[in-house]
Amino acid sequence: MAARKISLTGVKPSGTPHIGNYLGAIKPAIDLSDEFDAYYFLADYHALNTMRDAAAFKHAVYDLAATWLACGLDPQKVVFYRQSDVPEIFELTWIISTVTPKGLLNRAHAYKAAVDVNESAGNLPDDGVTMGLYNYPVLMAADILIADANFVPVGQDQRQHIEITRDIAVSFNAIFGETLVPPDALIRDEVATITGLDGRKMSKSYGNVLPLMADSKELRKAVMKIVTDSRAPEEPKDPDADNVYSIYKHFATPERLAEVRDLYLNGGLAYGKIKQELFETLDVRFADARARYNNLMADPTQIDAILADGAERMHITAQRVLTKVRAAIGKTTYAVGAR
Ligand code: ADP
Ligand code: TRP
């Protein structure tokens, strides 16, 4: 029987997980875990680029782990781990950085955006740019290549990172022989970019999110903040230009969505009412997950045990891949204490 393909993804613990993360990354990844050998992890050392408070960082790691588990990740089926528990990733980061052209990283979106901001403010181009931000794509490539991953389920914003990973794998293989597996991004069109409260991409960094595990009160408050135009209920509206509809369409039943769409197009849709309906739908949809989440957060030692087991299982894969990389580059002696 042919070996199963591998899917791998990571999410940074850098703030409260939101509906965009759920639809764009968490749910598609969990759905794939039946079909593929799945490796899902908390990209905690990536988050270190922005997390500068130890207590907040620690909380964010538990928060994200509990969210994945509450949303249905089965740690028996998926190898679920914390990036920082897998030292092989950081060795591979160095090795592949030696074959990564600097120009490739100069073109990475996040770095370019930082330079653009500096230039328009009249600052030096690299003002405030850390090596962590600059090397981010190389660490992400190592995350993926260390597992021989074939598919990486992510949102649209990560497409360039997967292309960079492919380029790095191909360069390495051209120099040292076929060793690393160039991965493909798996981006589901319908959830590629979920819009936030203000119509921009829902993102922690824009503060425009619907939090995933919020209690009912907080969730309702966020839903009510979704920006709409000021059209009266009887006026026809374009559902595809509305921020409430663009979120609700992912949660309403097809029958209800057709009715709602009709109300938008033909008049009769009050924004206050549709927001309340969206809130109630989300509140019910995530009620069980929220209870599981609260249970895990009340006793995070449950999370520690699951992540420890995941790290152990990940070491086996990571060691196998790192051993072939070390052999490819001609590293034949092993340091004392090397795994
Ligand atoms: P954020 O932009 O809030 O910081 P991350 O960069 O941590 O989110 O994203 C984690 C995962 O969730 C990635 O796979 C990303 O593509 C996905 N994701 C984030 N925001 C969205 C969104 N608005 N729509 C679809 N997917 C998203
Ligand atoms: N860069 C991703 C994000 O911002 C997180 C991430 C880190 C990741 N390493 C990864 C995603 C490996 C997929 C595969 O969302």
Side-chain angles (χ1 to χ4, degrees):
M1 203 177 77
R4 294 215 308 173
K5 297 272 186 195
I6 295 172
S7 85
L8 172 144
T9 200
V11 176
K12 280 175 301 180
S14 57
T16 308
H18 55 77
I19 298 274
N21 299 142
Y22 175 74
L23 291 172
I26 297 177
K27 182 168 187 304
I30 291 174
D31 290 348
L32 288 177
S33 60
D34 285 324
E35 193 183 333
F36 295 113
D37 279 347
Y39 293 83
Y40 300 149
F41 69 97
L42 311 168
D44 56 342
Y45 275 10
H46 273 114
L48 210 47
N49 272 330
T50 52
M51 300 297 282
R52 299 297 158 93
D53 176 282
F57 185 42
K58 193 169 171 182
H59 176 80
V61 170
Y62 283 135
D63 191 3
L64 183 60
T67 301
W68 272 99
L69 294 163
C71 288
L73 180 144
D74 175 356
Q76 302 297 320
K77 206 158 38 168
V78 174
V79 181
F80 183 51
Y81 56 99
R82 193 164 29 202
Q83 177 189 40
S84 60
D85 289 334
V86 186
E88 292 86 354
I89 294 172
F90 307 99
E91 183 173 336
L92 185 60
T93 300
W94 175 257
I95 295 174
I96 59 177
S97 74
T98 66
V99 300
T100 304
K102 178 169 177 286
L104 191 63
L105 301 187
N106 290 341
R107 292 190 292 276
H109 296 322
Y111 173 65
K112 264 177 57 183
V115 171
D116 287 349
V117 168
N118 279 331
E119 284 177 346
S120 29
N123 298 330
L124 287 169
D126 282 340
D127 239 28
V129 173
T130 61
M131 287 307 292
L133 180 116
Y134 192 73
N135 281 333
Y136 186 106
V138 185
L139 179 56
M140 179 155 162
D143 291 333
I144 298 169
L145 298 172
I146 197 70
D148 278 349
N150 305 100
F151 298 109
V152 186
V154 278
Q156 177 64 27
D157 58 342
Q158 297 300 311
R159 183 185 292 280
Q160 189 195 33
H161 286 145
I162 314 300
E163 283 163 5
I164 292 174
T165 304
R166 287 189 69 87
D167 284 352
I168 292 175
V170 168
S171 300
F172 183 96
N173 291 348
I175 297 167
F176 295 111
E178 284 305 311
T179 312
L180 297 172
V181 177
D184 285 304
L186 264 193
I187 300 175
R188 300 219 316 223
D189 282 346
E190 70 285 9
V191 291
T193 307
I194 305 300
T195 50
L197 308 185
D198 55 1
R200 293 186 292 170
K201 169 193 172 257
M202 189 180 291
S203 172
K204 281 162 250 172
S205 28
Y206 297 149
N208 63 355
V209 308
L210 287 181
L212 190 51
M213 292 295 140
D215 62 28
S216 305
K217 208 170 140 208
E218 200 190 326
L219 178 63
R220 186 167 189 282
K221 216 167 113 194
V223 170
M224 291 302 156
K225 280 199 209 143
I226 299 176
V227 177
T228 56
D229 61 29
S230 51
R231 268 179 247 207
E234 59 281 7
E235 288 181 72
K237 308 169 184 71
D238 177 4
D240 300 316
D242 177 53
N243 297 330
V244 185
Y245 185 88
S246 74
I247 299 172
Y248 192 34
K249 71 180 180 196
H250 298 288
F251 296 100
T253 61
E255 300 75 37
R256 182 58 191 152
L257 194 64
E259 287 167 10
V260 167
R261 196 172 170 84
D262 192 59
L263 290 174
Y264 269 91
L265 293 170
N266 298 312
L269 191 283
Y271 286 126
K273 275 202 178 142
I274 195 70
K275 283 184 179 179
Q276 178 66 24
E277 187 174 324
L278 169 61
F279 156 66
E280 283 168 12
T281 307
L282 292 174
D283 201 39
V284 171
R285 164 76 179 261
F286 291 107
D288 289 350
R290 201 156 59 206
R292 287 194 290 273
Y293 169 88
N294 288 335
N295 174 293
L296 287 160
M297 289 303 274
D299 177 13
T301 59
Q302 303 172 79
I303 302 174
D304 288 330
I306 290 170
L307 292 177
D309 177 61
E312 285 305 316
R313 285 154 66 202
M314 182 56 196
H315 278 310
I316 297 170
T317 298
Q319 269 302 312
R320 182 176 48 73
V321 175
L322 193 56
T323 299
K324 75 179 175 178
V325 170
R326 286 169 170 166
I329 62 174
K331 175 184 154 46
T332 52
T333 53
Y334 290 82
V336 175
R339 292 167 144 278

